[in-house]
Amino acid sequence: MAKKSRLHIPRPSARPGDKPDFSYLNLSAAGAVDRPPIDSRTRDIEYLSSDLVRVLNDDHTAKGPWDPNIDPGELQVALRWMLLSRVFDKRMWQIQRQGRISFYIEALGEEAVSVGQAMALRPGDMCFPSYRNQGLYMYRGVKLVDMMCQCLSNTGDMCKGRQLPIMYHSNKANVFSISGNLGTQYPHAVGWAMASAIKGEDHIAASWVGDGATAEADFHHAITFAAIYQAPVILNIVNNQWAISTFQGFAGGERRPFAARGLGLGIPGIRVDGNDLLAIYATTQWAADRARRGGGPTMIELVTYRGGAHSTSDDPSKYRPKDEWAAFPLGDPIERLKQHLITEGHWSDEKHEELEEELTAEVLAAWKEAQQYGTMTEGPFLDPATMFDDIYAETPAHLESQRRRMIEVEGS
Amino acid sequence: MAKKSRLHIPRPSARPGDKPDFSYLNLSAAGAVDRPPIDSRTRDIEYLSSDLVRVLNDDHTAKGPWDPNIDPGELQVALRWMLLSRVFDKRMWQIQRQGRISFYIEALGEEAVSVGQAMALRPGDMCFPSYRNQGLYMYRGVKLVDMMCQCLSNTGDMCKGRQLPIMYHSNKANVFSISGNLGTQYPHAVGWAMASAIKGEDHIAASWVGDGATAEADFHHAITFAAIYQAPVILNIVNNQWAISTFQGFAGGERRPFAARGLGLGIPGIRVDGNDLLAIYATTQWAADRARRGGGPTMIELVTYRGGAHSTSDDPSKYRPKDEWAAFPLGDPIERLKQHLITEGHWSDEKHEELEEELTAEVLAAWKEAQQYGTMTEGPFLDPATMFDDIYAETPAHLESQRRRMIEVEGS
Amino acid sequence: MPQMNMIEAIRSALDVVMDRDPSVVILGEDVGYFGGVFRCTDGLQRKYGEHRVIDAPISEGGIIGAAIGMGVNGLRPVPEIQFADYIYPGFDQIVSELARLRYRSCGDFFSPVTIRAPCGGGIRGGQTHSQSPEAIFAHVSGIKTIMPSNPYDAKGLLISSIESDDPIIFFEPKRIYNGPFDGDPEKPAVSWASHSKGEVPEGHYTVPIGQAEVVQSGEELTIVTYGTLVHVAQAAANAAGVDAEVIDVRSISPLDVETLTTSVNKTGRCMIAHEATRFGGFGAELAARIQKDCFYNLEAPISRIAGWDTPYPHAFEWQYFPGKKRMIAGIKSIMEVE
Amino acid sequence: MPQMNMIEAIRSALDVVMDRDPSVVILGEDVGYFGGVFRCTDGLQRKYGEHRVIDAPISEGGIIGAAIGMGVNGLRPVPEIQFADYIYPGFDQIVSELARLRYRSCGDFFSPVTIRAPCGGGIRGGQTHSQSPEAIFAHVSGIKTIMPSNPYDAKGLLISSIESDDPIIFFEPKRIYNGPFDGDPEKPAVSWASHSKGEVPEGHYTVPIGQAEVVQSGEELTIVTYGTLVHVAQAAANAAGVDAEVIDVRSISPLDVETLTTSVNKTGRCMIAHEATRFGGFGAELAARIQKDCFYNLEAPISRIAGWDTPYPHAFEWQYFPGKKRMIAGIKSIMEVE
Ligand SMILES: Cc1ncc(C[n+]2csc(CCOP(=O)(O)OP(=O)(O)O)c2C)c(N)n1
Ligand SMILES: Cc1ncc(C[n+]2csc(CCOP(=O)(O)OP(=O)(O)O)c2C)c(N)n1
Ligand SMILES: [Mg+2]
Ligand SMILES: [Mg+2]
């Protein structure tokens, strides 16, 4: 074969041993990006997909037209949820490392996404999350102990042992069931939103996929349907720079931001600082308003960084610099909100420490409670015979007979 | 259910009985659109995806920077191929109506697409066509009689009776095998182009899909891979306004031209008058040059009109005005090239009539010849036992035994 | 009772259900203004509006994915896939989502989607307009797969499917849309008026999912089949002069094992027939199950008559199609076994 | 001869073929710099460069679609699908394109793609990291489907597959990547060093496609199986004290019918075992075929031991998995038949 070639292979800016380099990220200053009216034409607001909407400034003040002017009390609540998500993750990660649950995925560094967006939605709006949106479930009222029981596959498991840890669901909280297959939830959200419009209701849908998952077919299906029917839906892309070992350039992020993916169909895109709770809240609210008033879909790219490993099965030191997160120019979402509140005089390091202790205790208490419903090694145990339930609305004869046979042979 | 609703339902501008209305088409004047250098950055040439590149003016002269200055002799050749495609289609349509072939698809009104683009490519470049690109096969040397034999499923059929009429293929001519499944050829073209780049070769690939087929997953797969690896490929969208009964708005064409679909991935798009052979040639050449020099993929939307029914199984009078084609502002590609040549003094009505007669005779002769290889009712007939060939490189035992059984029972 | 062909019966089912239940919506390619390439939805958009009979982009994955979301939001979507051969781009949504949603969320979420798709050959459709992929769906737990063989069942089963809270793949054998077919393409077409199941009530009724039907009883041989071949099998048994019991499976999954095994235990012989390729086809499941449950009564090996293990070739569809000749040969050879 | 586990054997196969043939390229999610989530391609990008071991976007349909185009342009692509459960988004490209290209163009075009995908459960992967979808692919004419059960076969069959001009789906039972497994999850893991087929030549060799292997000969019962269950079946037969002939199918399609029927005609009893759900599973094809060809020698109905007709539940994978207990019970009940 000839040597000559023009196949372009995307490369991350740094590999293990290299100095982290985020110069590829196009950053705007806090407050620098205009906030257009929600009835703007897509073509007039393309800048929103290439600039970066930021509110929290380096000096920790809130700046510019996107400042949502949230009440400090509410911001403390937001901080609480973010911290809870992190404390929860930390504990569950340890628990997995101790072999007490089989698998875990943390949202380290991305907590502002779920919390900020959940805050901007109404309870009747429906969320179609990815596996890194635990904050959504928490914010919307799913109890920690219930989430832990799910991870334990114990008698309190909402999934009755059928799903990998973290594959939560809650109809009551209007957060959908998480799938193992990437991106499949995106068209569901659009269909749900279409149904809402068909029924003449006021609810909107929101969905989340990772940068990597945008390459899946369902991403295309979703944006196509959303654009055609002008479905009231917010399509979020959580660009945390990595998809397991693969840099976001391999999802096509090299040439144009992910926020621009819907432009060709007339869907406006907003690129937002994914570690800036205020900016996230503000852009989500903008998109939600737009959807609710018949303006159709909006795509939001949340620029953030996957602070931890992909999952407990992953070792990122094999493919990226160990200190990459520390060098990420958008920092840590919790730290940033904390400093903002401190700067504004509504918070302090002491309060923060107290809160962390409180949440740690809350998580610990939940963990103690969860174990009462059983662990992987100690009872009470879920009845394996339930594995034949819920395949259909009513269990057909062949499954009943397999259930009997299972009980017979496995002696359950 | 409540009455209130915001589900947007696209509507064509006219239905049967209505006056045709193409005011939705954004037209540019011939010569009005700049021709940028091939190494332009995608963001600097976005206008190419919204304006309409046109060369042939209403006064039949060639205008502006995209005029490819093709030698009149070559243009006469192009005219010949377009006319041949139309004459061929007309005959085959009649033949189907007489029940002598089972099915047919014509390219009426879209002849400039295949011929203009084929002219701008090199023989070593590979084409991945849709089912409405018969002109590609013709231009690249596939004999009419071979195409007719394919439609007849006779002993001369390149497909040995396996495929519906019009599902041609030609490895020799570098035109791929046509699939029944819409859009599947798009990622093939990208993979082929990637292989060309991997091997360090100079060949590029081109593929064609309809406006309707852009909604398929493979469209997304193809543009994603093309953008990431900067594959040397031309991705054409033949926007003939209709997908069977469905207006292109249902493929998302209402808000932004199809040419813009790749912009979000950094793929430049060109919107071109699909009935203007000169503009088609020029834009294709531009894209081919760009690809060959390592500039990566280009998307071309060819704005045209499906002059006839979708296929012989379709009756368009049920869903669109009968006279819609006549009102199409970009006219008839053959008529326009003819008038251009006449205006420039290189052609005449008489010559045109002569040519048409000549081609009609050529097609008729081919039809006569084709029938010698058998018709649907008269021999020679293809041997049905061949249906067990080519499923694998070598026919495995179970298929050989089924072949024997088939011969036994069917008594072939 | 009115006469209907299968297209009319399907349209009538859709009409009846849409009329009763405002949550039923249709979406698919060309289904709205145009009424579908096979006219199954003709007139429904005019009657129920553009928000309930929705023209969709050419995107089977999107159609099914969006339908799932609609179902989760309280609608009962009935997507049409233009040809069964084009269901594959939606395969992941069917297998990984539609079939699994209730299970993985323990009933907290479910989506009552009924996917309609014309299947089967015999209309010179070539390999991409002729496939019968029921075996592939039969293997997927969490969905039910149906294939009616006549207008009466088509309407009754379609109503049952749409009203069911389970996701259903509803295959319509398009060769018999306009009339039953005895397997001989040379003979003039017959209309559904000639068939007792061409009589179809106007209003609401159901045919239960999960029940096979003995369409002809007999003592010497059981023929287990479904779709177009139900009619071919009856003609072949007649022509072969064999007193065959012909069973229309109707519900591929869940399967009515008892009706099948009762019959085979009685006759002692069993032939299975379907249009799809044999290898790994649904006939394999039927044979595997019947040999197990009827072993002591079987007087001959169970045989399968099916499409060859090739694609469905355009010009040789009648050589591919397991028609009367092949059926008769199969019947004879199974009856010859002592 | 060197010891290799299955991962090393697969990597060695890829290495050997890439070294001999510059047209072989690998593409897939995380396969390049990182070497694959199961490490099967570890080191290959360093050795053969970024143009031959290509990290791909998360787009199974795109990976397979692009691979087909590469194959048409003279390369031999070996795409990896990260888990067999994620092959469905590429299903249309496999069924409608890869499997059909040679046929529809009468050999004028073809694409020699080998799709590798880890399959099967037993690693606590839950329902979306545990599936065995071989039955679905077995039904598709035009592709071949392989599943090895040990390092030696894995390497030899993978080399055969990549060198073949036919498209191949190559399923790798990930439960036995690191060692054989007798079905008892409580017992300590065993390494391939303990198994004779853990000895794998460094260089080039092939194991032919389309040939089953008798891995243990016996007189009383034939157990037909493949993948992980080959080892479980041997352990179960041993534990049951039955002189069983255990056959590793290896090649799901094309199927080596003769090896199976010769054995069953000898033993008179047959048990089929696979991990996938039973209904419509590949065991159905095996049973249907064997009952036909061995009818007069069968002393008991053919039985199938398989995954239940449920998704693969995370916490109950060992209740789902057709392990030793169920196998032994199956063996006993088939041996009890007089
Ligand atoms: C259809 C499918 N293909 C592959 C996988 C395996 N997989 C799980 S997560 C993942 C990476 C996803 O990356 P991204 O979308 O960026 O989300 P993130 O993990 O960064 O939040 C991959 C490849 C899968 N789950 N589903
Ligand atoms: C996967 C798939 N879905 C549906 C069809 C049925 N079908 C054939 S052509 C067609 C319309 C295509 O329209 P467009 O892409 O605009 O091409 P045009 O016919 O206008 O050239 C449809 C829906 C198909 N062939 N393949
Ligand atoms: Mg990511
Ligand atoms: Mg079109």
Side-chain angles (χ1 to χ4, degrees):
Chain A
M1 256 189 249
K3 285 273 149 51
K4 200 174 107 201
S5 167
R6 290 152 313 210
L7 193 74
H8 170 75
I9 306 285
R11 288 214 186 80
S13 55
R15 285 294 194 186
D18 296 345
K19 209 169 111 56
D21 175 6
F22 286 103
S23 59
Y24 68 86
L25 280 181
N26 175 32
L27 304 179
S28 311
V33 181
D34 261 7
R35 184 181 188 284
I38 57 165
D39 57 358
S40 304
R41 291 184 316 175
T42 301
R43 76 185 75 164
D44 297 332
I45 53 175
E46 288 208 2
Y47 66 91
L48 285 179
S49 69
S50 48
D51 297 350
L52 187 72
V53 175
R54 305 178 70 185
V55 172
L56 285 176
N57 198 12
D58 290 344
D59 66 6
H60 309 307
T61 60
K63 294 196 77 165
W66 286 94
D67 179 2
N69 292 309
I70 303 176
D71 180 270
E74 265 194 69
L75 284 186
Q76 288 167 359
V77 173
L79 186 65
R80 188 181 199 288
W81 288 115
M82 287 205 280
L83 199 54
L84 179 61
S85 169
R86 184 166 299 180
V87 169
F88 183 86
D89 279 352
K90 198 172 161 194
R91 168 67 48 167
M92 296 308 283
W93 193 272
Q94 285 167 352
I95 284 169
Q96 195 281 339
R97 284 296 183 241
Q98 295 160 356
R100 297 158 87 183
I101 60 173
S102 61
F103 177 80
Y104 194 70
I105 287 184
E106 61 177 351
L108 182 65
E110 304 178 24
E111 293 89 349
V113 172
S114 294
V115 174
Q117 300 206 270
M119 280 175 73
L121 296 172
R122 298 189 190 156
D125 298 337
M126 179 77 187
C127 297
F128 291 82
S130 116
Y131 46 75
R132 223 180 283 284
N133 289 116
Q134 42 266 62
L136 282 180
Y137 290 94
M138 294 178 190
Y139 188 93
R140 290 187 151 223
V142 179
K143 287 198 285 180
L144 300 188
V145 60
D146 290 345
M147 294 172 73
M148 286 168 165
C149 286
Q150 196 281 328
C151 292
L152 279 163
S153 291
N154 65 13
T155 58
D157 175 9
M158 61 176 87
C159 295
K160 295 191 191 157
R162 293 170 192 163
Q163 288 270 78
L164 270 183
I166 68 96
M167 301 274 183
Y168 317 110
H169 60 84
S170 176
N171 196 332
K172 202 175 118 206
N174 273 336
V175 195
F176 197 56
S177 155
I178 294 172
S179 177
N181 297 54
L182 288 171
T184 47
Q185 69 275 19
Y186 236 42
H188 300 163
V190 175
W192 194 99
M194 286 172 68
S196 183
I198 288 170
K199 295 192 283 179
E201 289 170 0
D202 206 20
H203 309 310
I204 69 170
S207 189
W208 288 260
V209 293
D211 46 296
T214 60
E216 289 288 6
D218 280 326
F219 180 83
H220 178 67
H221 299 145
I223 64 173
T224 304
F225 277 66
I228 291 170
Y229 302 108
Q230 292 289 291
V233 64
I234 306 179
L235 297 167
N236 301 298
I237 301 170
V238 184
N239 178 4
N240 63 5
Q241 314 306 317
W242 291 94
I244 309 185
S245 77
T246 309
F247 176 64
Q248 46 101 337
F250 276 99
E254 275 188 319
R255 282 179 184 72
R256 197 116 188 233
F258 289 91
R261 286 297 165 81
L263 294 181
L265 279 154
I267 301 177
I270 310 179
R271 191 165 168 264
V272 63
D273 179 341
N275 290 357
D276 174 343
L277 183 110
L278 298 183
I280 292 171
Y281 178 90
T283 49
T284 307
Q285 200 187 42
W286 187 92
D289 269 7
R290 184 175 168 101
R292 234 181 284 281
R293 306 229 197 124
T298 302
M299 181 159 280
I300 300 181
E301 174 187 355
L302 301 115
V303 180
T304 181
Y305 186 86
R306 197 191 74 209
H310 170 70
S311 73
T312 49
S313 313
D314 179 44
D315 173 8
S317 72
K318 290 232 167 83
Y319 52 79
R320 67 182 194 186
K322 279 214 170 74
D323 54 348
E324 211 179 47
W325 189 32
F328 185 61
L330 300 177
D332 173 334
I334 293 180
E335 192 56 26
R336 280 174 68 195
L337 186 60
K338 173 186 159 193
Q339 293 305 339
H340 170 64
L341 279 167
I342 291 176
T343 304
E344 302 284 319
H346 305 298
W347 200 240
S348 67
D349 280 321
E350 297 68 45
K351 281 198 185 142
H352 197 82
E353 247 168 67
E354 255 170 54
L355 178 63
E356 194 160 346
E357 272 164 38
E358 181 196 323
L359 297 176
T360 306
E362 189 180 328
V363 166
L364 195 64
W367 176 240
K368 288 216 174 106
E369 187 187 345
Q371 289 177 95
Q372 290 170 12
Y373 295 94
T375 69
M376 276 169 73
T377 48
E378 267 164 76
F381 293 110
L382 260 178
D383 178 3
T386 58
M387 70 185 261
F388 296 93
D389 295 332
D390 302 319
I391 298 174
Y392 299 98
E394 281 168 41
T395 306
H398 71 284
L399 287 170
E400 286 299 357
S401 97
Q402 291 186 14
R403 191 203 312 261
R404 282 191 300 275
R405 180 93 188 113
M406 198 272 281
I407 294 170
E408 221 175 277
V409 184
E410 307 288 346
S412 111
Chain B
M1 257 191 251
K3 283 275 149 48
K4 198 174 108 202
S5 167
R6 291 151 312 210
L7 194 74
H8 170 76
I9 306 285
R11 289 216 184 78
S13 55
R15 285 295 193 186
D18 297 342
K19 209 166 110 55
D21 175 5
F22 286 103
S23 59
Y24 69 86
L25 281 180
N26 174 33
L27 304 178
S28 311
V33 182
D34 261 8
R35 184 180 188 285
I38 56 165
D39 57 357
S40 303
R41 290 184 317 175
T42 302
R43 76 184 78 163
D44 298 331
I45 55 175
E46 287 207 2
Y47 66 91
L48 285 179
S49 68
S50 47
D51 297 350
L52 187 72
V53 175
R54 305 178 69 184
V55 173
L56 285 175
N57 197 11
D58 290 345
D59 66 6
H60 308 307
T61 60
K63 293 197 77 165
W66 287 94
D67 180 2
N69 293 307
I70 303 175
D71 181 89
E74 266 195 68
L75 285 185
Q76 287 168 1
V77 173
L79 187 67
R80 189 182 198 286
W81 287 115
M82 288 205 280
L83 199 54
L84 179 61
S85 170
R86 183 166 299 181
V87 168
F88 183 87
D89 278 352
K90 196 171 162 192
R91 168 66 50 166
M92 296 308 283
W93 194 272
Q94 285 168 352
I95 284 168
Q96 196 281 340
R97 285 294 183 242
Q98 294 159 358
R100 297 157 88 183
I101 60 174
S102 61
F103 177 80
Y104 194 70
I105 288 183
E106 62 177 351
L108 182 64
E110 303 177 26
E111 294 89 350
V113 172
S114 293
V115 173
Q117 300 206 270
M119 281 175 73
L121 296 172
R122 296 189 191 155
D125 298 337
M126 181 76 187
C127 298
F128 291 82
S130 114
Y131 47 74
R132 222 179 285 282
N133 289 117
Q134 41 267 62
L136 281 180
Y137 290 94
M138 294 179 189
Y139 188 92
R140 289 188 152 224
V142 178
K143 288 198 287 184
L144 299 188
V145 59
D146 290 346
M147 294 172 71
M148 286 167 163
C149 286
Q150 196 281 328
C151 293
L152 279 161
S153 291
N154 67 14
T155 60
D157 175 10
M158 59 176 88
C159 295
K160 295 190 190 155
R162 293 171 193 162
Q163 288 270 77
L164 272 183
I166 68 95
M167 301 274 183
Y168 317 110
H169 60 84
S170 177
N171 196 332
K172 205 174 115 206
N174 273 337
V175 195
F176 197 57
S177 155
I178 294 172
S179 176
N181 297 53
L182 287 170
T184 48
Q185 69 276 18
Y186 236 42
H188 300 163
V190 175
W192 195 99
M194 286 174 68
S196 182
I198 288 170
K199 294 193 284 182
E201 289 171 359
D202 206 21
H203 309 310
I204 69 170
S207 189
W208 288 260
V209 293
D211 46 296
T214 60
E216 289 287 7
D218 280 327
F219 179 83
H220 178 66
H221 299 145
I223 64 173
T224 305
F225 277 66
I228 290 169
Y229 302 108
Q230 292 288 291
V233 64
I234 305 179
L235 296 167
N236 301 299
I237 300 169
V238 184
N239 177 4
N240 63 7
Q241 315 306 317
W242 290 94
I244 310 185
S245 78
T246 310
F247 176 62
Q248 46 103 338
F250 277 98
E254 274 188 319
R255 280 179 186 72
R256 196 114 187 235
F258 290 91
R261 287 294 166 84
L263 293 180
L265 279 154
I267 301 177
I270 311 180
R271 188 163 169 267
V272 64
D273 179 342
N275 290 357
D276 174 344
L277 183 110
L278 299 182
I280 292 172
Y281 178 91
T283 49
T284 307
Q285 202 187 41
W286 187 93
D289 267 9
R290 183 174 168 101
R292 234 181 284 282
R293 307 230 195 125
T298 302
M299 181 159 280
I300 300 181
E301 173 187 356
L302 301 114
V303 180
T304 180
Y305 186 87
R306 197 191 75 208
H310 170 70
S311 73
T312 48
S313 313
D314 178 44
D315 173 9
S317 73
K318 290 232 168 83
Y319 52 80
R320 66 183 194 185
K322 279 216 169 72
D323 53 348
E324 208 178 49
W325 189 33
F328 186 60
L330 301 176
D332 174 334
I334 293 180
E335 191 57 25
R336 280 174 69 194
L337 186 60
K338 174 186 159 192
Q339 293 305 339
H340 171 63
L341 279 167
I342 291 176
T343 304
E344 301 286 318
H346 304 299
W347 200 242
S348 67
D349 280 321
E350 296 70 43
K351 282 200 185 139
H352 197 82
E353 245 168 67
E354 253 171 56
L355 177 63
E356 193 160 347
E357 271 165 37
E358 182 197 322
L359 296 176
T360 306
E362 191 180 324
V363 167
L364 195 64
W367 176 242
K368 287 215 172 108
E369 190 187 341
Q371 289 177 96
Q372 290 169 14
Y373 294 93
T375 69
M376 275 171 73
T377 49
E378 268 164 76
F381 292 110
L382 261 177
D383 179 3
T386 58
M387 70 186 260
F388 296 93
D389 295 332
D390 301 319
I391 298 172
Y392 299 98
E394 281 168 41
T395 306
H398 70 284
L399 287 170
E400 285 301 356
S401 97
Q402 292 188 13
R403 191 203 310 265
R404 281 191 301 273
R405 180 92 189 117
M406 197 273 280
I407 294 170
E408 222 173 277
V409 183
E410 306 289 345
S412 112
Chain C
M1 234 184 279
Q3 289 290 342
M4 294 188 196
N5 64 28
M6 235 162 117
I7 292 168
E8 291 158 347
I10 286 160
R11 194 188 302 139
S12 170
L14 294 168
D15 191 9
V16 164
V17 186
M18 293 191 83
D19 192 49
R20 288 162 70 106
D21 182 354
S23 70
V24 176
V25 297
I26 290 172
L27 70 166
E29 297 158 19
D30 303 293
V31 301
Y33 185 88
F34 185 58
V37 295
F38 289 104
R39 328 296 310 139
C40 289
T41 56
D42 194 25
L44 296 176
Q45 188 181 73
R46 266 193 309 284
K47 185 159 174 193
Y48 298 105
E50 286 172 316
H51 287 194
R52 291 190 61 202
V53 185
I54 306 170
D55 279 310
I58 305 172
S59 174
E60 292 76 12
I63 289 169
I64 296 168
I68 294 172
M70 291 176 174
V72 169
N73 199 354
L75 300 185
R76 290 192 176 269
V78 189
E80 172 180 300
I81 299 298
Q82 206 160 73
F83 288 88
D85 318 61
Y86 302 140
I87 203 167
Y88 307 130
F91 197 64
D92 186 48
Q93 280 287 345
I94 296 174
V95 176
S96 307
E97 300 299 319
L98 187 56
R100 299 291 190 249
L101 181 56
R102 178 187 292 276
Y103 192 69
R104 74 175 194 232
S105 71
C106 299
D108 204 27
F109 290 104
F110 69 96
S111 188
V113 174
T114 298
I115 301 174
R116 292 180 43 246
C119 72
I123 59 148
R124 278 196 99 86
Q127 54 147 337
T128 60
H129 302 87
S130 303
Q131 293 169 48
S132 297
E134 70 279 359
I136 287 173
F137 295 96
H139 188 44
V140 179
S141 64
I143 49 172
K144 297 184 175 180
T145 302
I146 309 290
M147 195 188 297
S149 73
N150 59 68
Y152 181 88
D153 285 357
K155 177 167 173 183
L157 283 164
L158 184 53
I159 293 177
S160 291
S161 297
I162 297 171
E163 291 177 349
S164 159
D165 281 347
D166 291 319
I168 284 162
I169 316 285
F170 194 89
F171 286 124
E172 302 165 1
K174 57 183 155 334
R175 182 62 181 82
I176 52 172
Y177 264 158
N178 289 306
F181 173 63
D182 78 352
D184 185 348
E186 312 286 312
K187 286 210 300 198
V190 190
S191 111
W192 278 111
S194 67
H195 194 280
S196 61
K197 294 244 183 154
E199 287 192 10
V200 178
E202 296 265 18
H204 181 277
Y205 69 94
T206 58
V207 170
I209 290 166
Q211 291 186 13
E213 190 185 30
V214 178
V215 294
Q216 169 179 318
S217 54
E219 299 297 325
E220 296 182 320
L221 164 69
T222 301
I223 306 182
V224 179
T225 185
Y226 48 88
T228 303
L229 295 195
V230 169
H231 309 278
V232 181
Q234 287 181 273
N238 250 1
V242 170
D243 181 22
E245 185 142 305
V246 178
I247 299 181
D248 180 356
V249 173
R250 300 197 296 197
S251 174
I252 306 290
S253 159
L255 179 66
D256 177 2
V257 176
E258 213 186 302
T259 299
L260 310 183
T261 53
T262 305
S263 173
V264 178
N265 277 329
K266 174 180 78 173
T267 63
R269 291 169 205 260
C270 176
M271 186 175 94
I272 293 160
H274 60 60
E275 237 185 287
T277 52
R278 185 173 68 179
F279 196 79
F282 187 62
E285 177 60 38
L286 292 169
R289 184 60 196 254
I290 292 169
Q291 68 83 30
K292 179 91 165 102
D293 289 9
C294 308
F295 186 74
Y296 301 100
N297 295 305
L298 278 174
E299 288 161 34
I302 300 165
S303 71
R304 288 179 285 165
I305 301 292
W308 306 117
D309 292 332
T310 69
Y312 216 124
H314 173 253
F316 304 127
E317 62 175 350
W318 299 118
Q319 283 83 2
Y320 173 92
F321 184 87
K324 230 158 124 181
K325 269 197 214 168
R326 234 144 85 204
M327 286 247 198
I328 293 173
I331 293 171
K332 287 202 173 141
S333 86
I334 198 169
M335 295 313 296
E336 274 163 15
V337 175
E338 304 271 306
Chain D
M1 231 184 282
Q3 290 290 343
M4 294 188 194
N5 65 26
M6 236 163 117
I7 292 168
E8 291 159 346
I10 286 160
R11 194 188 301 140
S12 170
L14 294 168
D15 190 9
V16 164
V17 186
M18 293 191 83
D19 191 50
R20 288 162 70 108
D21 181 353
S23 70
V24 176
V25 297
I26 290 172
L27 70 165
E29 297 157 18
D30 303 291
V31 301
Y33 185 87
F34 185 57
V37 294
F38 289 104
R39 327 296 310 139
C40 289
T41 56
D42 194 25
L44 296 176
Q45 187 182 74
R46 267 193 308 282
K47 185 160 173 192
Y48 296 104
E50 285 171 317
H51 288 193
R52 291 189 61 202
V53 185
I54 306 170
D55 278 310
I58 305 172
S59 173
E60 292 75 14
I63 289 170
I64 295 168
I68 294 172
M70 291 177 173
V72 169
N73 199 354
L75 300 185
R76 288 191 179 272
V78 189
E80 173 180 300
I81 300 298
Q82 206 159 72
F83 287 88
D85 317 62
Y86 302 141
I87 202 166
Y88 307 128
F91 197 64
D92 186 49
Q93 280 287 345
I94 295 174
V95 176
S96 307
E97 300 299 317
L98 187 57
R100 299 292 190 249
L101 180 56
R102 179 186 291 276
Y103 192 71
R104 75 175 194 232
S105 71
C106 299
D108 204 27
F109 290 103
F110 68 97
S111 188
V113 174
T114 298
I115 301 173
R116 291 180 43 246
C119 72
I123 58 150
R124 278 197 97 88
Q127 54 148 337
T128 61
H129 302 87
S130 303
Q131 293 169 48
S132 296
E134 70 279 358
I136 286 173
F137 295 96
H139 189 45
V140 178
S141 64
I143 48 172
K144 297 183 175 180
T145 303
I146 308 290
M147 195 189 296
S149 73
N150 59 68
Y152 181 89
D153 285 358
K155 177 168 173 183
L157 282 165
L158 184 53
I159 293 177
S160 290
S161 298
I162 298 172
E163 291 178 351
S164 158
D165 281 348
D166 292 319
I168 285 163
I169 316 286
F170 194 88
F171 285 123
E172 302 166 1
K174 58 181 154 341
R175 183 61 182 80
I176 52 173
Y177 264 159
N178 290 305
F181 173 63
D182 77 353
D184 185 348
E186 311 286 310
K187 285 209 301 199
V190 190
S191 110
W192 278 111
S194 67
H195 195 280
S196 62
K197 293 242 182 157
E199 287 193 8
V200 178
E202 296 264 20
H204 181 275
Y205 69 93
T206 58
V207 170
I209 290 165
Q211 289 185 15
E213 191 186 30
V214 178
V215 294
Q216 168 179 319
S217 54
E219 299 298 323
E220 295 182 320
L221 164 69
T222 302
I223 305 181
V224 179
T225 186
Y226 48 88
T228 303
L229 295 195
V230 170
H231 308 278
V232 181
Q234 286 183 273
N238 249 2
V242 170
D243 181 22
E245 184 142 306
V246 178
I247 299 181
D248 179 357
V249 173
R250 299 198 295 199
S251 174
I252 306 290
S253 157
L255 179 65
D256 177 2
V257 176
E258 213 185 301
T259 299
L260 310 183
T261 54
T262 305
S263 174
V264 178
N265 277 328
K266 177 180 77 172
T267 63
R269 290 169 207 259
C270 176
M271 188 176 92
I272 293 161
H274 59 59
E275 236 185 289
T277 52
R278 184 172 70 180
F279 196 77
F282 188 61
E285 177 60 38
L286 292 168
R289 184 60 196 255
I290 291 169
Q291 67 83 30
K292 178 93 166 102
D293 291 9
C294 308
F295 186 75
Y296 300 100
N297 295 305
L298 278 174
E299 288 160 36
I302 301 166
S303 71
R304 289 179 284 166
I305 301 291
W308 306 117
D309 292 332
T310 70
Y312 216 125
H314 173 253
F316 305 127
E317 63 176 348
W318 298 118
Q319 281 85 0
Y320 173 93
F321 185 86
K324 230 158 122 180
K325 272 197 213 165
R326 234 143 85 203
M327 286 246 196
I328 293 172
I331 292 171
K332 286 202 175 140
S333 87
I334 197 169
M335 295 313 296
E336 272 163 18
V337 174
E338 303 271 308

